[in-house]
Amino acid sequence: MTMRLRIGAAGLAMAVTLLAVSTAGSASEAQTIREALAKVLPDAKPTSVQPTPIKGLFQVEIGPQVMYMTGDGRYLIDGAIVDLETRENLAEKAQNEARQRAVEALGEDEMIVFDAPNAKHQITVFTDIDCGYCRKLHQQIDGYQAEGISVRYLFYPRTGVDTPSYDKAVAVWCADDQRAAMTEAKNGNPVDSKACNNPVQRHMELGELMGIRGTPAIILENGQLVPGFVEPKRLVQVLEQ
């Protein structure tokens, strides 16, 4: 079983084992699920536990992550749940919605935004200053804006905290003109380093929870995750599907 929770393989195996033998008290099913999770994943605080169309199965959200559990707290399911009548993947839809809520909860005050003059769409992009395809994406920022797509940047330096890529992200955020600094950095030019309160590490933590593995990682308006570079005209087609 593959889970998106940021726990190791040994911890996951223990969690699944303990969930299988957990016992419920007299609490409601939702509370039973919370109690079962608290025993095996004490740091994972569900933000939502809701019934699904399937009797006895509950949708559990932990920030941008979605999983499913039985009402007795015994079984955890991580994977596709497809309505064969509508052909809709309920799990994918729920995951997209949870991802989008997490992005919007962060707020544009913690993003660097390149607004389109006549915006019809917006995307949120996890970016790394030193990533080649991230630079290619930014080199076409005018093309996205011309297609009516506003671009909102979050930082995801793949090398981690306290590395040159991380320091460049902080320097861009702390610059007097963040957009100009982003463009300079993406062009490989140095940006004067300043220290300031910045959200770079929060961006990275959110990306980790979302399972981001590479950059650029594009979050569409509906919360769908599109990995990699997509040129402007193709992206607007995806957005308008």
Side-chain angles (χ1 to χ4, degrees):
M1 179 179 70
T2 301
M3 288 183 62
R4 289 176 288 273
L5 281 172
R6 301 297 297 171
I7 57 177
L12 175 57
M14 181 179 293
V16 172
T17 301
L18 290 173
L19 278 171
V21 299
S22 67
T23 57
S26 59
S28 67
E29 290 174 303
Q31 184 60 30
T32 296
I33 288 171
R34 292 179 184 275
E35 291 171 356
L37 278 174
K39 291 177 182 178
V40 295
L41 301 171
D43 294 330
K45 307 296 184 185
T47 50
S48 175
V49 179
Q50 300 291 334
T52 71
I54 303 169
K55 185 178 180 180
L57 190 67
F58 287 74
Q59 179 180 302
V60 181
E61 295 183 13
I62 301 175
Q65 303 175 85
V66 174
M67 65 194 72
Y68 295 86
M69 289 184 66
T70 53
D72 60 3
R74 180 171 181 178
Y75 296 103
L76 185 151
I77 301 167
D78 180 49
I81 298 178
V82 180
D83 183 332
L84 294 180
E85 290 187 2
T86 65
R87 304 298 177 92
E88 181 180 33
N89 185 334
L90 302 180
E92 181 179 55
K93 181 175 183 289
Q95 181 64 74
N96 289 346
E97 291 172 351
R99 191 182 291 121
Q100 186 60 12
R101 280 195 295 271
V103 169
E104 294 307 322
L106 192 65
E108 288 193 356
D109 287 345
E110 294 206 359
M111 305 176 185
I112 296 179
V113 182
F114 287 77
D115 283 315
N118 298 298
K120 297 180 292 183
H121 304 285
Q122 67 180 16
I123 59 173
T124 306
V125 182
F126 284 91
T127 192
D128 181 340
I129 297 295
D130 292 323
C131 153
Y133 278 102
C134 296
R135 291 185 174 187
K136 184 175 181 180
L137 187 153
H138 192 71
Q139 287 166 0
Q140 298 192 40
I141 197 74
D142 291 345
Y144 294 106
Q145 291 175 316
E147 296 292 341
I149 303 172
S150 294
V151 178
R152 312 189 303 182
Y153 278 123
L154 301 176
F155 289 108
Y156 194 80
R158 296 165 299 168
T159 49
V161 177
D162 295 330
T163 64
S165 293
Y166 177 88
D167 293 341
K168 291 174 186 177
V170 171
V172 168
W173 181 266
C174 295
D176 294 333
D177 187 333
Q178 293 177 326
R179 286 186 287 273
M182 178 72 85
T183 299
E184 285 296 306
K186 294 283 190 180
N187 288 334
N189 298 323
V191 174
D192 289 340
S193 180
K194 293 182 181 179
C196 73
N197 184 29
N198 68 83
V200 176
Q201 197 159 348
R202 289 192 291 278
H203 293 178
M204 296 171 67
E205 291 168 356
L206 180 59
E208 286 286 320
L209 284 172
M210 289 186 180
I212 302 297
R213 296 292 177 267
T215 52
I218 302 171
I219 310 296
L220 304 185
E221 293 164 314
N222 66 353
Q224 180 183 348
L225 172 61
V226 178
F229 167 75
V230 183
E231 60 90 20
K233 291 191 179 298
R234 172 57 185 151
L235 185 59
V236 79
Q237 291 174 356
V238 173
L239 288 164
E240 292 181 352
Q241 283 179 352

